């Protein structure tokens, strides 16, 4: 019933930027902490960023601090991930997720997941 749909993925060159968006339907969006995760081929899924229900608290993986920004709009039921200074190592499938608890980094704590969107960064 709760659905998350990502958009905004694509292919860019090193140093480029992308903005990913995720729209949530079928639930009370403002009650969810939201997170972004990514998984590259041959790698484990890793935490990227998370934001609390109100947007007052954010968490970032050390690999993306200073380059990525997570934000939410509770009036639109959306959460975005603004990515700048992209590197080839950022290439992965990016998924958004909803957590009925807190803005944590553990993927196991998230209740709902989107299908993911591909981000490719070429050298």
């Amino acid at each position: 019933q709760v659905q998350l749909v990502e958009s905004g993925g694509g292919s860019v060159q090193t140093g480029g930027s992308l903005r990913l968006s995720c729209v949530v339907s079928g639930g009370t969006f403002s009650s969810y902490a939201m997170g972004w995760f990514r998984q590259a081929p041959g790698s484990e899924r890793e935490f990227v960023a998370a934001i609390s229900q109100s947007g007052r608290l954010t968490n970032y993986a050390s690999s993306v601090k200073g380059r990525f920004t997570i934000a939410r709009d509770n009036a639109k039921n959306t959460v975005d991930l603004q990515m700048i200074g992209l590197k080839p190592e950022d290439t992965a499938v990016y998924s958004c997720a909803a957590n009925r608890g807190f803005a944590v980094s553990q993927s196991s704590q998230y209740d709902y997941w989107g299908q993911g969107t591909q981000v490719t960064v070429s050298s």
Side-chain angles (χ1 to χ4, degrees), residues 31-89:
S31 70
Y32 303 139
M34 298 296 300
W36 285 95
F37 296 80
R38 67 187 184 187
Q39 186 168 23
S43 300
E44 298 292 325
R45 182 170 60 191
E46 66 175 336
F47 168 75
V48 176
I51 188 167
S52 62
Q53 293 93 335
S54 67
R56 295 173 61 89
L57 182 147
T58 58
N59 291 323
Y60 295 94
S62 60
S63 60
V64 305
K65 284 183 178 179
R67 298 189 298 120
F68 291 9
T69 302
I70 188 170
R72 68 188 296 157
D73 187 337
N74 285 356
K76 298 179 179 178
N77 289 4
T78 58
V79 59
D80 294 348
L81 185 69
Q82 179 68 53
M83 306 183 294
I84 63 172
L86 285 164
K87 307 173 182 179
E89 64 202 74

Side-chain angles (χ1 to χ4, degrees), residues 11 40 69-70 72 76 101 104 106 111 118:
S11 181
T69 302
I70 188 170
R72 68 188 296 157
K76 298 179 179 178
V104 296
Q106 298 91 343
D111 302 290
Q118 177 71 47

